[in-house]
Amino acid sequence: LFDCDGKLCLQNLRLFVEDEVYNLNASSFRSMEDEERLDAEIIAPIRRSQIFEEIGRDKCDGTVVLQMAEEMSLKSSEIILSVLLKSEIPKDFNDWGALLLSKQVRLLQNTFSGLVLGSGDTEEACNTSSILTQFNRVNQAVSILQLEKPSDWLMFAYKADGGDDTSLTADEIKKVMRLRVDFSDEAIATVCSQISAN
């Protein structure tokens, strides 16, 4: 998972998300969502990794490529969640910032899925659903950040809080909701008490 310069390619992802601003207006969103910027800052370090180079030279079996893509997807998801849930200085989000994070996560999913689809020689190796599964928890966090109001989560909670490792806990849901600058503590507390009661 090292790039051409010997840096951990997923460490670049951590630094990027830590430094990114997610409390945006429409104008700053347009400049920050620029495909070239996102590709250069998120995807290029991953593409320069030894793994991508080996796969590009067809040195890996399709099943092995799938396993590596799953692992990179899981680590990427864990990095993003760690920044969202465990940072000493919490990130501030508004609806534009949530939209930006959503685009960044989709870009990672597409990159890892493309890696598998570009190398697969068997039907099993070309199935990218297991890659998308690795992003379940971060996708839930993104969905929460994109809500119009905290109570909207109650409509989705049945599907999301399945009590397994692919779902956010009630405490994590609360932490993510608190990242939205326009969600009141009272509204979050009301929703979280209802989630805990279920």
Side-chain angles (χ1 to χ4, degrees):
L1 298 180
F2 292 90
D3 68 16
C4 302
D5 303 322
K7 297 178 184 171
L8 283 168
C9 65
L10 294 180
Q11 181 62 23
N12 289 333
L13 175 62
R14 174 181 300 282
L15 296 173
F16 175 83
V17 176
E18 285 175 344
D19 291 342
E20 191 76 330
V21 175
Y22 293 103
N23 191 1
L24 308 168
N25 60 33
S27 175
S28 56
F29 169 76
R30 281 192 292 281
S31 66
M32 293 183 77
E33 73 150 348
D34 180 68
E35 296 282 339
E36 288 180 20
R37 180 186 91 88
L38 295 179
D39 186 69
E41 295 190 31
I42 298 176
I43 303 306
I46 294 171
R47 282 198 188 112
R48 287 192 307 263
S49 69
Q50 290 175 320
I51 290 173
F52 263 69
E53 288 182 7
E54 296 293 317
I55 292 167
R57 288 184 239 145
D58 286 332
K59 291 193 173 189
C60 296
D61 174 75
T63 305
V64 173
V65 172
L66 177 62
Q67 290 172 344
M68 288 188 297
E70 288 172 351
E71 187 62 27
M72 290 177 78
S73 297
L74 177 61
K75 293 298 181 195
S76 297
S77 180
E78 288 173 350
I79 286 168
I80 294 168
L81 279 175
S82 175
V83 172
L84 295 180
L85 299 173
K86 298 176 183 173
S87 291
E88 287 182 30
I89 301 172
K91 305 294 286 176
D92 286 338
F93 278 84
N94 63 5
D95 51 351
W96 290 110
L99 192 58
L100 179 62
L101 180 62
S102 174
K103 184 171 185 170
Q104 293 166 347
V105 169
R106 278 194 319 276
L107 188 59
L108 287 165
Q109 291 170 336
N110 292 342
T111 298
F112 296 132
S113 294
L115 179 67
V116 171
L117 294 173
S119 69
D121 50 2
T122 66
E123 190 175 314
E124 177 186 307
C126 288
N127 184 348
T128 61
S129 65
S130 60
I131 290 171
L132 301 178
T133 299
Q134 305 306 317
F135 285 94
N136 278 355
R137 289 168 41 83
V138 81
N139 283 334
Q140 288 172 27
V142 168
S143 294
I144 291 167
L145 291 167
Q146 290 181 311
L147 296 173
E148 192 171 316
K149 57 190 182 296
S151 61
D152 291 346
W153 181 248
L154 296 174
M155 291 185 283
F156 302 107
Y158 309 100
K159 298 173 186 165
D161 194 13
D164 57 24
D165 290 343
T166 63
S167 296
L168 293 175
T169 66
D171 186 53
E172 290 169 333
I173 291 168
K174 183 178 185 178
K175 286 179 181 177
V176 172
M177 285 184 177
R178 285 186 169 163
L179 298 176
R180 275 291 295 259
V181 296
D182 54 339
F183 286 2
S184 73
D185 287 339
E186 183 180 329
I188 293 169
T190 300
V191 169
C192 291
S193 67
Q194 291 178 4
I195 291 171
S196 298
N198 290 341

